Amino acid sequence: MLPSIPLHKDIVRPPETILVNITPQESRVAIVEENNICELHIERNSGHSLVGNIYLGIVRRVLPGMQSAFIDIGLERAAFLHIVDVLEQRQNPDADQRIEHMLFEGQTVLVQVIKDPLNSKGARLSTQISLAGRFLVHLPQDNHIGISQRIEDEDERNQLRQRLENLLPKENHGGYIIRTSAETATDAELQADIEYLTKVWANIQYQAKTLPAETMIYQDLPLSLRVLRDMFSDNTVKILVDSKENHQKMCEFAAQYVQGAAEKIEWFTGERPLFETHNVEQEINRALQPRVSLNFGSYLIIESTEAMTTIDVNTGGFVGARNFDETIFKTNLEACHAIARELRLRNIGGIVIIDFIDMVSESHREAVLQELAKALSFDRTRVTLNGFTSLGLVELTRKRTRESLNHVLCEPCPTCQGRGRLKTPQTVCYEIQREIVRESRRFDVKQFRILASPEVIDLFLDEESQSLALLIDFIGKPISLAVENSYTQEQYDVVLI
């Protein structure tokens, strides 16, 4: 296993502008740093993220062999709970526990969604409840005080822990995780967060006692307000929102919970749409393409699969340096920042393998690795950089927090079923001929008719006309052709007449 490369935690983040576009159908947020769109968040009313929602569920099935259970929370598909996400197991990870000893069918259980449903998989759940505030995350069933890993200075960590302990009531208060944003928070702001989260938990407990099972009893804030809670920082220059109603809601929320944000929220009233004015629409379309152009003709190719994402760096036509080694080095350095930005922009999670252009010099390899570590430090999402493998590839992981931009905006092609490739007309021609031979042996018919796309029929009439004539002689039956303009290149029917 490769040792992880430390990221640059003390790096100065550039000033940022947050753009908030609200329509009746969806909310969209873009974060702009130095005139570059670096993050996109999209939340649709028809497909609202369930992460953070709390439900009163019913255990439908317990699977001892998988150490998991299916919980009905009122969604189309039953949700999934693994033993590692059960509170008792999380509190005692070294204990030898079994899920069938913790849950039974028909049991009512309070659960929180930690991962949205995806494709055929149901939502993933946890019985450990966490409630996010501006500076703190409340763990009401725990008594532990944790601190964000991004706060590395040990003295600062101890100071923050002591400040929080002094503010907490002496009675049972539950656990807390101190977020990175708490570094600059005052005692009054931390106290307000504690009081807010305590009220939210008290309301959840009351709802759990009074509402029926399979009911949602808590929903996280909408995207427009989560922007203020999770993304606003001292680096935020302004927040532009194009909805008057939501501008008012954001100002009210900021005045109560996010100090310093209210005066930076502006209602955008430009003649052109907000996202069009700042070229966000163009960036969204570009982020759906596999190719990313760099300077001087070099480029990246980004391909994502279920297992991982691969990024290939190419020089293209760039030969501007004095020698080829310098050309490669400069291209790889530039690619570092482009890769870090694309990971954020496309919200790529999981395993990422980067194929930089091969470098002979060990100092060049080390410099590229350090430049990549620096570029990745701007990411709000946790990234682990593992350096070069024995094959000369760079390996990193980025925590999956939400669906990728591609998943939100696109669906698999109905023609190729997401393969990204189509069978050639010639391949389809040969498939049709094999099927006709097979069917001629099973059924005694007068003739066969081939229904196919124009490309396939044209091939039968031209290059494959001789093979079609040989087939007619072989089976001793006539074969007629018919074009179906509605068929894709791979679709065809062999009709027995």
Side-chain angles (χ1 to χ4, degrees):
M1 183 175 176
L2 294 171
S4 60
I5 310 299
L7 303 186
H8 300 235
K9 301 302 180 184
D10 56 347
I11 196 165
V12 179
R13 298 181 64 89
E16 64 181 22
T17 298
I18 300 177
L19 312 176
V20 183
N21 166 237
I22 307 288
T23 66
Q25 299 80 26
E26 65 180 0
S27 300
R28 301 187 298 173
V29 170
I31 297 178
V32 183
E33 295 176 357
E34 298 177 335
N35 296 320
N36 291 317
I37 314 299
C38 292
E39 289 183 38
L40 282 167
H41 301 257
I42 299 177
E43 185 174 86
R44 290 179 171 167
N45 297 339
S46 59
H48 196 284
S49 174
L50 305 179
V51 174
N53 291 359
I54 297 174
Y55 295 83
L56 200 58
I58 297 179
V59 180
R60 292 302 183 195
R61 289 181 65 195
V62 178
L63 306 173
M66 296 175 58
Q67 282 301 290
S68 59
F70 286 107
I71 315 289
D72 200 339
I73 58 175
L75 301 179
E76 183 179 345
R77 291 190 299 271
F80 180 79
L81 173 67
H82 193 270
I83 190 170
V84 298
D85 297 313
V86 176
L87 178 63
E88 292 84 351
Q89 179 66 29
R90 280 178 172 256
Q91 291 176 335
N92 301 285
D94 298 326
D96 185 17
Q97 304 187 73
R98 305 282 299 175
I99 197 165
E100 61 267 31
H101 300 154
M102 303 175 185
L103 301 173
F104 58 86
E105 292 184 9
Q107 178 183 355
T108 301
V109 59
L110 193 68
V111 291
Q112 185 170 36
V113 177
I114 58 175
K115 198 170 186 180
D116 278 319
L118 187 62
N119 299 328
S120 60
K121 299 177 182 178
R124 183 158 178 174
L125 305 175
S126 173
T127 61
Q128 182 177 41
I129 306 301
S130 64
L131 304 170
R134 170 67 176 152
F135 305 104
L136 305 169
V137 175
H138 187 26
L139 306 174
Q141 304 144 305
D142 207 337
N143 284 313
H144 171 71
I145 294 180
I147 301 177
S148 168
Q149 293 180 350
R150 285 182 172 268
I151 303 174
E152 293 187 326
D153 185 86
E154 198 58 39
D155 291 338
E156 187 176 3
R157 291 171 69 87
N158 292 333
Q159 186 180 20
L160 282 169
R161 184 181 284 107
Q162 188 60 53
R163 284 177 59 198
L164 181 59
E165 287 175 348
N166 293 339
L167 294 171
L168 292 172
K170 300 229 186 306
E171 64 271 17
N172 185 24
H173 51 69
Y176 286 88
I177 296 173
I178 301 173
R179 306 180 73 174
T180 311
S181 55
E183 287 181 288
T184 57
T186 64
D187 285 355
E189 289 172 328
L190 292 176
Q191 187 66 54
D193 230 20
I194 293 168
E195 292 173 1
Y196 166 71
L197 293 170
T198 301
K199 288 178 185 176
V200 170
W201 175 238
N203 185 58
I204 289 170
Q205 289 178 299
Y206 174 77
Q207 300 272 29
K209 293 175 182 175
T210 57
L211 292 175
E214 300 181 45
T215 303
M216 181 176 71
I217 58 179
Y218 171 80
Q219 186 174 29
D220 201 8
L221 296 172
L223 179 59
S224 57
L225 300 185
R226 292 204 308 275
V227 166
L228 299 173
R229 185 190 71 189
D230 300 335
M231 303 176 203
F232 175 80
S233 67
D234 292 337
N235 296 311
T236 305
V237 177
K238 60 183 173 181
I239 302 170
L240 297 177
V241 55
D242 59 5
S243 163
K244 185 177 182 181
E245 178 185 352
N246 282 275
H247 171 262
Q248 183 65 31
K249 289 179 181 178
M250 291 175 70
C251 287
E252 291 171 359
F253 182 85
Q256 188 172 1
Y257 297 112
V258 189
Q259 186 176 23
E263 55 266 28
K264 294 184 179 181
I265 304 173
E266 300 178 16
W267 177 30
F268 178 79
T269 56
E271 293 183 5
R272 295 167 60 207
L274 175 62
F275 271 28
E276 188 179 322
T277 301
H278 291 82
N279 296 320
V280 181
E281 302 291 6
Q282 183 178 345
E283 281 294 294
I284 292 174
N285 290 328
R286 188 194 61 76
L288 298 176
Q289 305 300 320
R291 179 168 172 147
V292 179
S293 297
L294 306 178
N295 292 329
F296 309 112
S298 52
Y299 61 92
L300 309 176
I301 295 293
I302 302 175
E303 297 283 357
S304 293
T305 66
E306 290 251 354
M308 67 180 70
T309 296
T310 60
I311 302 178
D312 188 29
V313 183
N314 295 278
T315 56
F318 180 35
V319 290
R322 288 173 297 175
N323 59 61
F324 193 57
D325 286 346
E326 283 298 315
T327 297
I328 290 172
F329 181 51
K330 289 190 175 183
T331 301
N332 285 338
L333 285 177
E334 184 192 358
C336 290
H337 294 274
I339 289 168
R341 176 175 172 247
E342 292 300 324
L343 292 178
R344 294 172 64 191
L345 183 64
R346 300 170 188 238
N347 194 38
I348 294 170
I351 300 170
V352 179
I353 301 296
I354 306 170
D355 186 7
F356 284 106
I357 307 165
D358 289 339
M359 293 170 284
V360 177
S361 169
E362 187 60 38
S363 62
H364 283 180
R365 286 161 61 95
E366 184 60 31
V368 165
L369 209 54
Q370 290 303 318
E371 194 70 16
L372 182 60
K374 177 182 175 182
L376 292 171
S377 299
F378 293 107
D379 204 327
R380 301 172 203 272
T381 302
R382 190 176 73 196
V383 179
T384 303
L385 177 60
N386 292 329
F388 282 94
T389 68
S390 59
L391 296 176
L393 306 173
V394 171
E395 176 187 293
L396 64 87
T397 58
R398 188 173 185 270
K399 186 178 179 182
R400 294 184 191 272
T401 54
R402 52 195 170 90
E403 288 187 331
S404 68
L405 186 68
N406 195 55
H407 258 106
V408 173
L409 299 180
C410 303
E411 64 180 9
C413 168
T415 301
C416 71
Q417 302 302 317
R419 301 194 312 269
R421 296 287 188 273
L422 285 177
K423 292 178 182 177
T424 65
Q426 192 172 42
T427 300
V428 178
C429 279
Y430 295 164
E431 283 186 7
I432 293 172
Q433 292 182 65
R434 286 194 295 272
E435 182 169 335
I436 289 175
V437 171
R438 188 167 58 249
E439 295 302 308
S440 69
R441 290 170 178 168
R442 295 176 60 201
F443 302 103
D444 184 19
V445 298
K446 292 182 179 179
Q447 65 171 300
F448 292 92
R449 172 166 292 189
I450 299 171
L451 306 177
S453 65
E455 296 85 0
V456 173
I457 297 299
D458 286 347
L459 203 62
F460 269 127
L461 293 173
D462 190 9
E463 296 174 31
E464 296 300 327
S465 58
Q466 186 175 357
S467 65
L468 182 61
L470 290 172
L471 177 62
I472 292 172
D473 289 341
F474 179 75
I475 64 173
K477 308 284 180 172
I479 299 174
S480 60
L481 306 172
V483 172
E484 280 291 343
N485 290 309
S486 62
Y487 281 16
T488 66
Q489 191 165 288
E490 293 187 350
Q491 283 181 300
Y492 65 86
D493 282 306
V494 176
V495 180
L496 284 60
I497 300 174

